[in-house]
Amino acid sequence: MKNHLLIIYFCLAQFISFAQVDKNDELYKTIILKDSLLFNVGFNTCDIKQFEYLLSDKLDFYHDISGISDKRKFLNNIKNGLCSNPTGFQSRRELLPESTRIYALYNDDKLYGAIQEGIHQFFERQANKPETFGSSAKFTHLWLLENNEWKLTKALSFEHQKNKISTTNSLIFENDLTIENWLKENKIPTLGIGIIEDGKLNQIKVFGKSSNGTSASYNTIFNVASLTKPVTALVTLKLVEQGKLGLDEPIYKYWTDPDIAQDPRHKKLTARLILSHQTGFKNWRWLNDDEKLRFDFDPGTAYQYSGEGYEYLRKVLENKFSKSLQQLAEELIFHPLKMNDTRFIWDKNVDNLRYALNFDKDGDTYKTVQNTTPNAADDLLTTIEDYGNFLVSIMNGDLLSEKTFKEMTTPQTGSEKGKHFGLGFEIYDLGNKEYALAHGGADNGVRAIVFILPETKQGLLIFTNSDTGGNVYETLVKQYLGKYGQKIIDTETK
């Protein structure tokens, strides 16, 4: 069926002219009017006469779920299905106007038809119940002039997705030029998107410019700021899983920061408390008046996000194993997953031309951070592909055993806005035993965020190289994570 649909679609595509019909053109207005009569009047109110009049007797309707219909079968399904439901069930179709593309068909300069493409979504309602979202889908319609009357002759409805609500803003992803303009409006030079579906990294898209002014490549290298922390967490959990480090053993015997050596509370620090941000440290020691490390509260008694804690853990690991964090990560994660463009340090292997320079809100560049020593909490260099495969491997149980994965995803402490922190990731409760693991990164010229939904095998990566990059989060999260994305946004905005 899918192959048959593709053949029909590509056959229709051969007739499409290179130029779209302008929205002010009479043909555009005519087709939109016919569409409105067919759906707003016909479908949404069960006015069967509109279908009988607007559908060609030669109609072929191709649906990726319900199969192929001619006019007779299509009308029968409408009359005896949606329009005769004894429970009062009804369906409403809504066209997303900005998605519409119309192309004129000519034969020796004589107009004989038009192709309409777009996205529509369907809402369902029952008597005495609120309307709910049903599905969204793409469609292609072939309208032909029959005796000077416009008739729908071929119709394809495909890519139905039940949990993916489309919005006007989401339509930018149907057209690369439009998204480039959208990025310019938001002052974002480079945007990388990774889409995880069915437990696989299915799509990588990078928009904007590289450092040399050419179009950014799919393997553009980004600084992802605090997205470094989940990698450090996984290195630690791999060592725990191998029996080389205890998750709850005191770590003072491996290393103690001189600033807190005289404070007995340093003996309470463990890998678990560090990975879940329960150390009692501020984010960075320089936030203290004397710029020295100290406890704001007893370890394990409260939540306080701390990059300093992750750096503390790095020094513990490096002292215990006599290897740098870079070396440990290469052995345990980077090499096994072929993450060849991911590193904690800036060395000769970094391709400068693929690096996304970092910009402030006025479009001025920041000085590029080029660490020669790993930072466990910040400045990881990576690509959408590398980090996407890292997340997929976590979600699919390739990196950790079931036992360790459960430990990682178990809430350790409440964080903010009703969320919790596990070990390395923040946890969103999505209801019905579903949840999202997430982490963000923000630095000068860096805004990045990732989500994975282990139960539904979905995920999303958003990398940007601008202080204004967070402006696109809401649109992208809603677009690609559907109802779950809406729950995430609702959590963040409540």
Side-chain angles (χ1 to χ4, degrees):
M1 175 61 195
K2 288 184 178 178
N3 290 335
H4 191 56
L5 255 177
L6 286 172
I7 292 170
I8 296 293
Y9 180 77
F10 286 121
C11 286
L12 288 177
Q14 300 303 311
F15 295 103
I16 298 177
S17 61
F18 288 103
Q20 296 176 26
V21 175
D22 187 84
K23 292 184 178 181
N24 294 318
D25 192 278
E26 285 304 314
L27 176 60
Y28 188 98
K29 295 176 181 178
T30 297
I31 298 302
I32 290 297
L33 173 61
K34 299 300 179 183
D35 181 281
S36 179
L37 290 172
L38 186 65
F39 286 98
N40 293 348
V41 178
F43 185 86
N44 292 347
T45 68
C46 286
D47 185 346
I48 304 301
K49 290 181 180 179
Q50 294 296 331
F51 285 104
E52 292 174 338
Y53 176 71
L54 289 168
L55 298 181
S56 170
D57 292 338
K58 302 174 183 178
L59 174 74
D60 287 317
F61 176 56
Y62 300 87
H63 193 283
D64 60 355
I65 296 175
S66 60
I68 305 173
S69 303
D70 56 15
K71 183 176 182 179
R72 183 193 61 78
K73 182 179 178 181
F74 182 85
L75 290 175
N76 183 66
N77 290 341
I78 293 292
K79 291 176 183 177
N80 301 314
L82 291 175
C83 294
S84 66
N85 196 300
T87 64
F89 174 86
Q90 287 183 297
S91 183
R92 179 178 66 85
R93 180 261 201 179
E94 183 179 290
L95 172 68
L96 297 176
E98 296 302 317
S99 71
T100 303
R101 307 284 186 268
I102 294 175
Y103 306 86
L105 299 178
Y106 290 95
N107 183 14
D108 294 332
D109 295 327
K110 183 179 180 181
L111 180 70
Y112 71 90
I115 287 180
Q116 176 193 9
E117 295 181 326
I119 297 173
H120 51 194
Q121 51 195 21
F122 298 88
F123 298 85
E124 300 170 354
R125 61 185 182 273
Q126 288 179 287
N128 303 317
K129 290 185 179 181
E131 184 176 79
T132 60
F133 173 73
S135 65
S136 65
K138 295 180 180 179
F139 71 90
T140 300
H141 289 168
L142 174 63
W143 295 88
L144 295 181
L145 281 168
E146 296 181 1
N147 298 320
N148 293 319
E149 297 288 348
W150 287 101
K151 302 289 185 180
L152 181 61
T153 306
K154 305 285 183 188
L156 292 82
S157 188
F158 54 98
E159 283 196 21
H160 285 78
Q161 300 186 60
K162 286 198 171 184
N163 293 325
K164 194 168 178 181
I165 301 176
S166 296
T167 67
T168 299
N169 286 337
S170 75
L171 302 174
I172 54 178
F173 311 111
E174 301 300 315
N175 183 295
D176 286 4
L177 178 60
T178 310
I179 196 171
E180 297 282 357
N181 291 333
W182 185 59
L183 294 180
K184 288 178 182 177
E185 291 172 5
N186 285 282
K187 298 180 180 179
I188 301 172
T190 313
L191 165 69
I193 304 172
I195 312 300
I196 298 171
E197 294 177 331
D198 299 323
K200 298 177 183 178
L201 182 61
N202 279 347
Q203 189 174 15
I204 299 169
K205 299 194 80 172
V206 179
F207 302 89
K209 302 296 182 183
S210 64
S211 59
N212 64 1
T214 61
S215 295
S217 62
Y218 82 97
N219 58 352
T220 292
I221 297 170
F222 291 86
N223 180 322
V224 293
S226 289
L227 290 186
T228 307
K229 293 182 179 72
V231 176
T232 300
L234 264 291
V235 169
T236 305
L237 292 174
K238 288 291 290 182
L239 292 169
V240 169
E241 194 168 78
Q242 293 174 0
K244 297 177 180 179
L245 180 73
L247 189 58
D248 295 303
E249 70 171 314
I251 56 177
Y252 70 89
K253 55 187 175 181
Y254 303 122
W255 186 79
T256 300
D257 190 290
D259 286 357
I260 59 170
Q262 301 307 311
D263 190 323
R265 289 179 291 185
H266 78 269
K267 293 187 177 181
K268 296 182 179 180
L269 291 173
T270 65
R272 182 190 297 276
L273 296 183
I274 289 173
L275 296 182
S276 56
H277 297 283
Q278 300 182 77
T279 59
F281 299 148
K282 283 187 171 62
N283 194 11
W284 297 109
R285 67 182 72 200
W286 50 261
L287 295 172
N288 292 320
D289 293 339
D290 57 4
E291 297 189 358
K292 290 187 177 181
L293 188 66
R294 65 168 179 262
F295 292 103
D296 287 347
F297 51 83
D298 289 351
T301 61
Y303 164 82
Q304 183 165 273
Y305 186 85
S306 178
E308 202 68 62
Y310 274 67
E311 271 288 83
Y312 199 108
L313 182 58
R314 172 180 68 84
K315 293 168 185 175
V316 167
L317 297 179
E318 291 182 340
N319 274 274
K320 175 173 173 54
F321 296 103
S322 299
K323 294 178 180 179
S324 71
L325 180 59
Q326 175 69 28
Q327 290 173 306
L328 290 169
E330 286 175 352
E331 293 174 9
L332 298 170
I333 298 176
F334 299 163
H335 286 169
L337 297 183
K338 297 186 169 86
M339 295 171 65
N340 299 322
D341 279 320
T342 302
R343 50 187 51 82
F344 289 89
I345 56 175
W346 192 290
D347 58 22
K348 64 181 181 180
N349 295 313
V350 178
D351 185 347
N352 293 359
L353 294 179
R354 286 194 285 128
Y355 179 73
L357 297 173
N358 305 102
F359 295 81
D360 65 18
K361 63 181 178 59
D362 297 316
D364 297 322
T365 56
Y366 287 105
K367 182 179 179 180
T368 300
V369 176
Q370 297 189 5
N371 291 335
T372 55
T373 298
N375 185 322
D378 200 13
D379 296 325
L380 184 77
L381 300 174
T382 191
T383 64
I384 290 287
E385 182 175 29
D386 274 10
Y387 208 94
N389 286 329
F390 167 67
L391 294 176
V392 165
S393 295
I394 293 173
M395 187 164 56
N396 291 337
D398 299 329
L399 273 180
L400 299 174
S401 67
E402 184 176 347
K403 178 182 177 182
T404 307
F405 179 81
K406 184 176 180 180
E407 191 82 64
M408 182 188 77
T409 57
T410 297
Q412 305 291 317
T413 182
S415 53
E416 300 171 342
K417 299 181 178 180
K419 297 175 290 183
H420 292 80
F421 238 96
L423 301 178
F425 287 94
E426 197 163 30
I427 304 170
Y428 288 79
D429 183 355
L430 302 178
N432 297 320
K433 298 183 179 181
E434 294 176 340
Y435 63 98
L437 302 179
H439 210 291
D443 237 332
N444 287 340
V446 178
R447 296 294 185 274
I449 196 164
V450 298
F451 302 90
I452 52 175
L453 284 64
E455 296 300 318
T456 62
K457 299 297 183 181
Q458 294 172 265
L460 173 66
L461 299 85
I462 306 170
F463 293 175
T464 76
N465 64 335
S466 171
D467 286 346
T468 60
N471 293 346
V472 301
Y473 285 178
E474 181 173 346
T475 296
L476 293 167
V477 170
K478 286 181 178 178
Q479 162 69 8
Y480 290 112
L481 296 182
K483 68 176 183 180
Y484 303 113
Q486 185 64 60
K487 288 182 179 181
I488 289 169
I489 296 302
D490 289 344
T491 298
E492 292 298 329
T493 56
K494 67 182 179 182

